[in-house]
Amino acid sequence: MLTRLEAGGIVEDVVVDGDLSLSVRFEKCPAGWQASFSLTHPAADDIAIVHRLVAPSLAEARSSVPPAVIYLLGTPVDDATIAD
């Protein structure tokens, strides 16, 4: 996992389900920590799902990203595998 600081936020490349990698931005907000990312499909890369979630701690925000991505991709969460 690659982590870097960009304009006051933490940006990490997260691997989900073994083959999908995406960039996630974590920032402190009034409600805790927010994680934001976008998903595109190779056949329709001009359309994206942009998602933001908020958690009480950075650790919870980090651990919430893979299940959120899996859910948005339409894979049942119980059947998915999540890479560390």
Side-chain angles (χ1 to χ4, degrees), residues 20-65:
L20 175 66
S21 177
L22 63 132
S23 183
V24 181
R25 181 177 181 84
F26 299 95
E27 293 179 285
K28 186 79 171 132
C29 69
W33 283 85
Q34 74 176 11
S36 56
F37 57 89
S38 63
L39 298 170
T40 59
H41 188 277
D45 60 0
D46 56 340
I47 298 174
I49 295 172
V50 179
H51 188 70
R52 183 182 74 162
L53 59 89
V54 177
S57 70
L58 178 57
E60 288 176 275
R62 281 182 170 139
S63 67
S64 298
V65 170

Side-chain angles (χ1 to χ4, degrees), residues 2-4 6 16 23 34-35 56 65 68 72:
L2 178 66
T3 303
R4 60 195 178 278
E6 285 184 6
V16 178
S23 183
Q34 74 176 11
V65 170
L72 291 169

